[in-house]
Amino acid sequence: MITKKEYIPIIVSIALFSILLAYNKEIFSLEKIPIYLLISAIIILTSIFAKKITAKKIHVEIEHKIWEFERYGIAKGNHLRYPILIGFFLPALLSFLSGGFIKFLTFMEFTSKELPAKSTKRFGIKRFSTMLEWDDGRIGFFGLVAVMALAIIAKFLISYSSLPFFELAKYSLYYAAYNAIPFSTLDGMKIFMGSRPLYIFALILLIATGLIVFL
């Protein structure tokens, strides 16, 4: 399900995620890198596979890449000649400037295209294949839901193991929260543009998950 072009963005995202977690109060905890690598990989892969499965069910193909910043206005010429890999530079910069206090945990975006089997619009007796904002919204929504479900499961496993399930629950919640921001091409913006009610529902689920994790 993961394409060859996605391997590097995923590996970079997992590595950066774990580094951000290990850097706190201007101290880099090298000994915690292995466990943070595992936590980061579980969270990111959970999100990716949930979106991939959702996309497949609605006959859409998606591909992940590092979040890029290219357009800065609505006019046709308001875009950069070369996109900035904001999904790499922004989390790293905010963490460095804040001494590790700010952990901006969003690194990737996804692009989508319809598969031949997809038929979503109908005019008279004819149907044709097309991508809708609703499709991207659903894909992004279930990516967030999967990570929130991971947070809840990890929370309930805390009492049964000495493994760092609280960290898994907490950072799963943070990852979902940051990716729910309705900005640029993040999942939150895709959900917001696809369906306002669905976005509000996602926020309600996010608040409920936060209460479960921290109470």
Side-chain angles (χ1 to χ4, degrees):
M1 293 178 69
I2 296 178
T3 66
K4 291 182 179 179
K5 291 173 65 177
E6 290 178 300
Y7 284 132
I8 292 179
I10 291 172
I11 292 171
V12 169
S13 297
I14 291 173
L16 180 57
F17 196 159
S18 62
I19 290 171
L20 294 181
L21 298 188
Y23 182 59
N24 192 37
K25 297 180 180 179
E26 300 185 350
I27 298 174
F28 187 71
S29 302
L30 186 61
E31 72 279 1
K32 293 185 178 180
I33 282 290
I35 190 63
Y36 285 147
L37 276 171
L38 179 60
I39 288 173
S40 302
I42 291 173
I43 294 171
I44 287 178
L45 292 177
T46 296
S47 173
I48 287 173
F49 282 118
K51 286 185 280 189
K52 291 274 190 180
I53 292 170
T54 303
K56 185 177 181 180
K57 287 183 177 296
I58 60 175
H59 306 295
V60 172
E61 182 178 70
I62 65 170
E63 192 169 75
H64 291 81
K65 62 180 182 178
I66 297 295
W67 174 31
E68 296 179 348
F69 177 77
E70 182 176 15
R71 180 170 291 276
Y72 55 86
I74 60 175
K76 186 176 181 181
N78 292 154
H79 61 83
L80 302 174
R81 184 174 181 181
Y82 300 105
I84 299 173
L85 298 178
I86 192 172
F88 177 82
F89 291 109
L90 185 59
L93 180 62
L94 291 176
S95 180
F96 174 76
L97 293 177
S98 66
F101 177 75
I102 299 177
K103 302 184 187 301
F104 194 78
L105 304 179
T106 182
F107 315 102
M108 289 185 290
E109 60 175 302
F110 70 85
T111 57
S112 58
K113 64 179 181 180
E114 71 275 9
L115 295 173
K118 182 174 176 55
S119 180
T120 56
K121 281 197 173 183
R122 180 171 183 169
F123 288 88
I125 61 173
K126 295 183 178 180
R127 289 182 179 269
F128 68 93
S129 179
T130 185
M131 278 297 301
L132 302 172
E133 289 181 333
W134 166 240
D135 295 321
D136 280 346
R138 280 189 290 173
I139 294 168
F141 173 76
F142 283 107
L144 292 183
V145 167
V147 176
M148 288 187 278
L150 175 63
I152 293 172
I153 293 170
K155 167 67 175 182
F156 285 111
L157 290 175
I158 292 173
S159 302
Y160 301 98
S161 175
S162 59
L163 295 174
F165 282 115
F166 178 71
E167 284 79 4
L168 177 58
K170 179 174 67 174
Y171 293 123
S172 294
L173 176 64
Y174 289 173
Y175 186 83
Y178 277 113
N179 282 276
I181 297 173
F183 175 71
S184 184
T185 51
L186 297 178
D187 292 352
M189 177 57 84
K190 288 181 168 64
I191 301 169
F192 183 81
M193 297 302 295
S195 171
R196 306 298 194 277
L198 186 64
Y199 182 76
I200 293 172
F201 182 53
L203 292 183
I204 293 172
L205 291 179
L206 191 60
I207 293 170
T209 302
L211 293 174
I212 292 172
V213 170
F214 290 110
L215 294 181

